[in-house]
Amino acid sequence: MITAAETCDFVNNVVCKPENVNSLFEFGNFGSSDISRTEILILLAAIIPVVLMFFGLRKKSVVPGRLQSVIESIFTFVKDEIALGVIGRGGEKFTPYLISVFMFILVGNLFEVTPLINFPVTSRMALPLFLSLVTYVIFLFVGIRTEGIKYFTNLLWPPGVPVALKPLVGAIELVSVLLVRPFSLAVRLFANLVAGHVMLSLLLASAYFFVVQPGVGEYIISKAPVGLAWFTLGLAIYGFELIVSILQAYIFTLLSAVYIQTSLHPEH
Amino acid sequence: MMFYLDTFLAEAEESTSGVDLLLPATSELVAGVVAFGVVFFFVWKWALPALNETLDKRSSEIEGQIKEAENTKTEAEKSKQEYDALVSNADAEVQKIIDEGKQAAEKIKEDALSEARAEAEAIIEKAKSDSDAEKERVSSELKSEVADLSLEISQKVASSMSEADQKKLIDKFIKELN
């Protein structure tokens, strides 16, 4: 990011503007290949958790080491608190999916605060959209398998709704559950990570440019405190984004479980 | 890439380009599907079974250890009871030996005492019979001496008296004897 910015001519151009906002989130391809940095990072978001899980669970020792403890805690947390805690009976079937979602999103999110990467792959719509569509398909499938075609009628007109309200409730439920739900699930994750990434980029890059103003020597001393202030704020937001990364992975997994639960146990 | 706020503000006004951000790039979607597929397959087929195996192993090991501890405890309690029994037996044994010793000593003392008593009684008895016999002997000796003396005296008295006086005296004796 810094390198790219330094190509800007600050003396003649007051504002260095990229051609498109998307260029903030897009990177060039590796060498002459067709694979972009984002795609490599997406694959890394799969390889890293797989490697961590492999080394964490390989020994199967009764007295766990550090990595094994961490991986075991994550697994048992998702299994006990989300899969069994939220879905309840029958939740164990969805444990592999929920653990995968959590690990994948967590690592993808944590790229945001990983030095030298500083780019959450979940801030690209592809991942949140794909994962929320998988959740969508799962909860529709589970609903149809549990209740048959009645799933849709119960969904649109929950038992006990007066006949007069049925059109209104049906319309609301149709939009909120079948249309908006997958989209909101995806956008919640996506928007949080985009906002975090933009904020961090702004603060830390501002800090950099106020302290090291390329090409203008005397600028440094007068503006340096402003840069340091930006940097301090940037560091605080950095810690905040670390929490957001973990929290958003948890929220996505939790909501997936909640949606599956409503389909699996419609009586609740 | 650039980072100035102006940049973002300027871009925000250009509504057409911002929407692109919401549309997934096909290549990234493919990468995402593959990546998530790998993670899911790994978790499903290897990681979760491995974790379950570890947890089962752990719980069975803990159970085994608890059982072992219980066994050890009961064994310890058993050997303590045995030890206590041994100690109390030993105490009883000691008490018995002491009692027997005491009884033996008592008996010896008793025997010695009774023997001494019997001996003393025998000595006393013998002394008594001896003294009685002596007394008897002395008194019979005295009696015969007294008889002799009285005979001698009476002869002397008779020789100095007349025949009439002797007769009178004899008569008097006979009278007194009667």
Side-chain angles (χ1 to χ4, degrees), chain A residues 18 22 24 39 60 62 124, chain B residues 7-8 20 27-28 57-58:
Chain A
N22 283 340
L24 272 174
E39 287 148 21
K60 300 176 186 166
V62 174
R124 299 291 293 160
Chain B
T7 313
F8 295 110
D20 291 350
S27 61
E28 288 168 12
K57 205 168 110 188
R58 186 170 303 158

Side-chain angles (χ1 to χ4, degrees), chain A residues 1 10 15-16 18 20-24 39 46 57 60-62 72 79 100 124-127 190 202 205, chain B residues 1-4 6-8 11 17 20-22 27-29 32 35 40 47-48 51-54 57-58:
Chain A
M1 291 190 288
F10 282 92
V15 172
C16 287
N20 189 299
V21 71
N22 283 340
S23 60
L24 272 174
E39 287 148 21
L57 299 172
K60 300 176 186 166
S61 40
V62 174
E72 276 184 10
K79 188 179 157 196
S100 312
R124 299 291 293 160
M125 195 53 176
L127 289 193
F190 160 79
L202 254 178
Chain B
M1 289 190 303
M2 247 328 296
F3 312 97
Y4 282 126
D6 297 9
T7 313
F8 295 110
E11 285 305 325
S17 62
D20 291 350
L21 206 57
L22 277 174
S27 61
E28 288 168 12
L29 203 57
F40 175 69
L48 202 57
L51 176 85
N52 288 335
E53 194 186 312
T54 313
K57 205 168 110 188
R58 186 170 303 158

Side-chain angles (χ1 to χ4, degrees), chain B:
Chain B
M1 289 190 303
M2 247 328 296
F3 312 97
Y4 282 126
L5 186 58
D6 297 9
T7 313
F8 295 110
L9 292 176
E11 285 305 325
E13 286 162 10
E14 292 174 29
S15 55
T16 48
S17 62
V19 175
D20 291 350
L21 206 57
L22 277 174
L23 300 174
T26 319
S27 61
E28 288 168 12
L29 203 57
V30 171
V33 172
V34 171
F36 183 72
V38 168
V39 176
F40 175 69
F41 194 75
F42 183 75
V43 170
W44 181 40
K45 284 293 173 195
W46 190 85
L48 202 57
L51 176 85
N52 288 335
E53 194 186 312
T54 313
L55 293 183
D56 287 349
K57 205 168 110 188
R58 186 170 303 158
S59 59
S60 69
E61 194 131 321
I62 289 170
E63 239 166 57
Q65 276 173 0
I66 289 172
K67 247 184 207 152
E68 205 173 290
E70 270 171 9
N71 286 348
T72 316
K73 202 181 150 200
T74 39
E75 259 170 43
E77 266 167 15
K78 211 176 131 195
S79 38
K80 191 179 175 275
Q81 278 175 354
E82 281 173 5
Y83 170 79
D84 284 350
L86 266 179
V87 167
S88 63
N89 277 353
D91 280 352
E93 196 84 4
V94 166
Q95 199 57 45
K96 206 176 140 196
I97 290 168
I98 290 172
D99 287 351
E100 276 175 5
K102 264 188 194 162
Q103 277 176 0
E106 203 72 22
K107 199 166 170 269
I108 290 168
K109 194 177 142 194
E110 208 64 34
D111 287 354
L113 266 178
S114 62
E115 210 170 288
R117 225 172 261 145
E119 215 158 293
E121 262 169 30
I123 290 168
I124 291 167
E125 205 60 38
K126 199 171 169 271
K128 252 189 198 167
S129 65
D130 281 1
S131 72
D132 281 354
E134 193 68 11
K135 223 163 99 185
E136 204 65 29
R137 194 181 54 83
V138 170
S139 90
S140 66
E141 250 173 49
L142 272 176
K143 267 180 191 166
S144 70
E145 213 156 306
V146 167
D148 287 351
L149 274 176
S150 46
L151 202 62
E152 211 172 304
I153 290 166
S154 60
Q155 271 171 357
K156 272 176 189 171
V157 169
S159 62
S160 63
M161 280 168 74
S162 62
E163 239 171 268
D165 286 339
Q166 279 181 8
K167 211 181 173 250
K168 243 197 224 171
L169 195 65
I170 289 166
D171 287 341
K172 195 186 167 195
F173 267 119
I174 290 168
K175 243 189 186 172
E176 274 173 16
L177 279 173
N178 289 332

Side-chain angles (χ1 to χ4, degrees), chain A residues 7 13 30 39 42 51 56-57 75 79-80 84 92-93 102 110 123 125 144 149 167 186 195 215 218 222 232 254:
Chain A
T7 58
N13 266 349
F30 272 90
E39 287 148 21
I42 290 175
V51 169
L57 299 172
F75 270 53
K79 188 179 157 196
D80 296 340
L84 299 177
E92 60 278 357
K93 261 189 293 181
F102 184 74
L110 285 175
S123 71
M125 195 53 176
I144 294 168
I149 204 68
E218 67 273 18
S222 59
T232 316
L254 185 74

